[in-house]
Amino acid sequence: AAEDALAAAAAVPAQDEPGSAPKPADLAGNRPGRNATARAAAERDKLRIQVGRFKSWQLRHHDDPNDERRCRLQADGERLVGKQLDKLRRVGFLVLHSLPLPADGTQVDHLVICPGGVFALATRHHPGGSLRVAGLTAYLDDEEVDHVRSLADQRDFVLAALRDSLGWEPPVTGVLVVVDAAGTTLKITEPPEPELQIVLSTAMPDWFHQWLPLISEEQMLAVYEVARWSSTWQAQTPSGVGGEEVRSVG
């Protein structure tokens, strides 16, 4: 049955054929926050060299806006959202995390494949911050940020990459997920285009059940089988692709 095929594809990593050439990396086992965690560790080591172990500890445990803290918060946000998204597997949805893109440090944070289509998610974690969105323009505490524009670029890249691999065009929606941390506010004065959605993390995972079915279970499986391979995402050179570099999050 199609449902059994979906469950099997999501649960079992693909294996190389004996004697075959090595395949591209299988991303099905990637965990949420993987890349941001690695970047945070690198920034922590750099900070220790610059200011010493004790001073770096102080900076990391206060609200100092250093790169290590931004990366660590990003990783925390991705793990929180990823944990909610993984619950969708219980109802036959397919979920991938931390899909690396060609530009150094960029990625699709999460990819959800369900009857409602393909959803490319970008997580943003700004504890205590105020995010205001007007169309493709966004402001974090009154400072302009490229969260929505980069989301649009990422959505376009995901659509092109999947279309090239599949030979047909699946419906792709870009989703900006704002972590609902203490003191965080989100205000949308002008919604962006329909292919771009902005939601709070507390809406996950139920938010996906509102979408009308657009693709079959067989099409879901076909998308998953190309999306899980690194070659799908490395075949193109993105131009202004979203999934902004972890080191510049915030």
Side-chain angles (χ1 to χ4, degrees):
E3 290 184 0
D4 294 335
L6 289 173
V12 180
Q15 301 294 324
D16 289 348
E17 293 291 336
S20 66
K23 291 182 179 179
D26 186 355
L27 309 175
N30 282 10
R31 302 306 305 154
R34 168 181 171 170
N35 297 329
T37 298
R39 181 72 70 179
E43 292 295 341
R44 181 181 65 244
D45 293 342
K46 185 190 303 183
L47 197 62
R48 285 175 175 174
I49 293 173
Q50 291 174 342
V51 301
R53 183 178 294 270
F54 180 70
K55 181 63 174 177
S56 69
W57 181 89
Q58 288 182 313
L59 292 174
R60 286 167 48 222
H61 287 80
H62 292 79
D63 291 335
D64 183 76
N66 58 73
D67 288 340
E68 188 275 340
R69 181 174 184 272
R70 281 192 289 267
C71 293
R72 179 160 39 88
L73 288 174
Q74 177 68 14
D76 290 344
E78 290 178 31
R79 283 192 290 267
L80 185 150
V81 172
K83 183 177 180 180
Q84 296 303 311
L85 296 178
D86 285 343
K87 296 177 182 178
L88 293 169
R89 291 174 172 149
R90 302 171 186 169
V91 292
F93 291 11
L94 300 169
V95 183
L96 294 165
H97 304 289
S98 303
L99 305 177
L101 300 178
D104 180 41
T106 63
Q107 67 170 26
V108 177
D109 294 339
H110 319 276
L111 196 75
V112 174
I113 306 163
C114 63
V118 180
F119 296 84
L121 283 70
T123 297
R124 295 294 175 260
H125 190 192
H126 304 298
S130 176
L131 184 65
R132 177 168 55 90
V133 175
L136 291 176
T137 305
Y139 299 90
L140 178 63
D141 298 330
D142 296 325
E143 181 178 345
E144 187 170 348
V145 291
D146 68 350
H147 291 0
V148 183
R149 294 186 189 278
S150 65
L151 179 71
D153 289 336
Q154 184 178 98
R155 181 260 174 192
D156 292 345
F157 179 79
V158 169
L159 176 62
L162 292 177
R163 181 182 60 224
D164 290 350
S165 297
L166 291 164
W168 54 277
E169 189 171 288
V172 177
T173 300
V175 185
L176 180 67
V177 183
V178 180
V179 176
D180 191 13
T184 300
T185 60
L186 171 63
K187 183 177 182 181
I188 303 175
T189 59
E190 178 188 346
E193 56 201 72
E195 293 80 10
L196 304 175
Q197 298 288 319
I198 304 169
V199 298
L200 287 171
S201 60
T202 47
M204 303 288 120
D206 294 338
W207 182 83
F208 291 93
H209 296 297
Q210 67 179 306
W211 299 91
L212 294 175
L214 296 176
I215 59 176
S216 66
E217 290 181 339
E218 290 79 8
Q219 289 173 318
M220 288 170 54
L221 183 59
V223 173
Y224 181 83
E225 285 301 331
V226 300
R228 70 187 298 176
W229 297 108
S230 60
S231 55
T232 298
W233 311 110
Q234 300 298 316
Q236 303 183 50
T237 302
S239 175
V241 166
E244 59 187 309
E245 295 185 43
V246 174
R247 58 178 170 270
S248 64
V249 167

